Amino acid sequence: MHVDWDLLKSHAVTAMKQAYAPYSKFPVGVAALVDDGRIISGCNVENASYGLTLCAECGLVSSLINSGGGRLVAFTCVDISENFLMPCGRCRQLLQEHGGSNLQLMTDTGIKPLSELLPWAFGPEEIDKRLD
Ligand code: THU
């Protein structure tokens, strides 16, 4: 599937500008291409109880499911300077669930599959295998 990375990045930047990050002052925006061609996005939403912060990826996954589901094909994450940012550990797991090991991510050193960022991943297949 063709990925327009510039378009994805522009969606991530637009989302980043909507972030609610008064505590960290570190706005984050993400965008992803879904396997049916739609583009979804998300921004971080913080909370006075710091630990309850929702990463931008949480918003993205919520948007994915609430707009019809599907599989994530390509993903990008940006900071306030519009530089690429690597997703945090917890969010790599969210991406594993909805994109799997072949999900493509833009990084400073080029496009990488999620399997490089989260090797030996635990995912839904592991549960399926063991519950048979
Ligand atoms: N953040 C994200 O939204 N996604 C990531 O993958 C990295 C971290 C947010 C959480 C918090 O609001 C801010 O960045 C600083 O950690």
Side-chain angles (χ1 to χ4, degrees):
M1 195 171 180
H2 172 73
V3 180
D4 184 340
W5 288 102
D6 290 338
L7 181 64
L8 264 195
K9 185 177 181 184
S10 77
H11 279 258
V13 168
T14 300
M16 178 270 292
K17 291 177 179 164
Q18 304 292 341
Y20 176 73
Y23 305 104
S24 71
K25 303 194 173 20
F26 192 84
V28 177
V30 295
L33 174 65
V34 184
D35 60 355
D36 64 359
R38 65 195 208 278
I39 291 178
I40 54 170
S41 62
C43 61
N44 52 335
V45 180
E46 298 186 344
N47 192 285
S49 179
Y50 296 174
L52 297 181
T53 287
L54 301 175
C55 281
E57 290 84 345
C58 299
L60 179 109
V61 166
S62 182
S63 170
L64 171 72
I65 301 304
N66 194 30
S67 63
R71 298 291 289 169
L72 302 176
V73 171
F75 169 90
T76 193
C77 179
V78 296
D79 66 14
I80 196 169
S81 306
E82 305 187 9
N83 289 322
F84 297 120
L85 194 65
M86 300 306 283
C88 80
R90 187 277 299 268
C91 290
R92 292 178 196 202
Q93 188 70 39
L94 297 187
L95 296 173
Q96 183 74 36
E97 181 79 19
H98 298 285
S101 304
N102 293 326
L103 171 64
Q104 302 296 302
L105 294 96
M106 183 54 81
T107 75
D108 281 340
T109 50
I111 299 161
K112 309 269 185 219
L114 183 58
S115 56
E116 273 191 41
L117 277 67
L118 191 64
W120 294 86
F122 173 80
E125 311 76 22
E126 299 306 315
I127 293 181
D128 293 345
K129 264 191 253 166
R130 287 165 173 77
L131 287 183
D132 279 347

